Amino acid sequence: MRCSRCKPKRQLIFDGNSLTANGANALQHGMRWVTTMYPSVIALSAKIPMQNYALGSQRTALLTAAFPTKIAPYCRPGDVLVMMEITNEARDGLSAQQMYDNYVAYATQARASGLIVVMCTCPAGKLTTDPADTITRQQAANALVLANGNTSWDAVADVGALTNLNSAAGITNSTYYNVDELHLTNVGYDLISPCVFSIIEPFLIAA
């Protein structure tokens, strides 16, 4: 009989854009919030494998199309997937409903693979010549995600509601945002880690 300690640990998987990825330049270091979370993850019991599949410039629709070959072959039922996007699709001019629908399509596919899916609302970010409009659409998409009531995913980490990351005024604060008013500083990313960890912790404890 196989002992319980031999049971494979639940993986913690991340997907998204440059706000989560290990970027190619000094501004794009979103993996900061992922790695900052790791001590809290391993403190739960034993080391839980963490895989980050996020890439810069990705859109939710592109991530959905890539999922069957990029993530599905390397995960197993019960793994926890954390995904954050919306940002880049807002830059492309998508409506809040379109961005939300794409989130639902992504999560539906991930849940079909047996994953526990945690979707993140997105922080405010300047992406066009009219940042106020972009942020308005981002926030409207975030509201739709929250209103879903976890019918399309297992939980939501409301990153977009964090103080200093939730408004057009906030993106000019150099304590939390880099000069592009999109990517965060270490201080900004460090706000995301506890927000997301508080949501995924119950799923990891149940592993």
mmCIF file of all heavy atoms in Angstrom, residues 46 172 203:
data_model
loop_
_atom_site.group_PDB
_atom_site.id
_atom_site.type_symbol
_atom_site.label_atom_id
_atom_site.label_comp_id
_atom_site.label_asym_id
_atom_site.label_seq_id
_atom_site.Cartn_x
_atom_site.Cartn_y
_atom_site.Cartn_z
ATOM 1 N N ALA A 46 5.523 20.938 3.060
ATOM 2 C CA ALA A 46 6.729 20.543 2.345
ATOM 3 C C ALA A 46 6.811 21.358 1.067
ATOM 4 O O ALA A 46 5.931 22.142 0.756
ATOM 5 C CB ALA A 46 6.682 19.049 2.013
ATOM 6 N N THR A 172 0.852 56.933 -11.408
ATOM 7 C CA THR A 172 1.911 57.953 -11.443
ATOM 8 C C THR A 172 2.768 57.937 -10.185
ATOM 9 O O THR A 172 3.727 58.695 -10.079
ATOM 10 C CB THR A 172 1.304 59.358 -11.610
ATOM 11 O OG1 THR A 172 0.477 59.664 -10.475
ATOM 12 C CG2 THR A 172 0.454 59.431 -12.881
ATOM 13 N N PHE A 203 -6.336 25.966 -0.750
ATOM 14 C CA PHE A 203 -6.221 24.890 -1.742
ATOM 15 C C PHE A 203 -4.924 24.104 -1.542
ATOM 16 O O PHE A 203 -4.888 22.884 -1.744
ATOM 17 C CB PHE A 203 -6.287 25.455 -3.158
ATOM 18 C CG PHE A 203 -7.564 26.167 -3.460
ATOM 19 C CD1 PHE A 203 -7.573 27.523 -3.771
ATOM 20 C CD2 PHE A 203 -8.774 25.498 -3.451
ATOM 21 C CE1 PHE A 203 -8.749 28.199 -4.064
ATOM 22 C CE2 PHE A 203 -9.963 26.152 -3.739
ATOM 23 C CZ PHE A 203 -9.953 27.500 -4.026
#
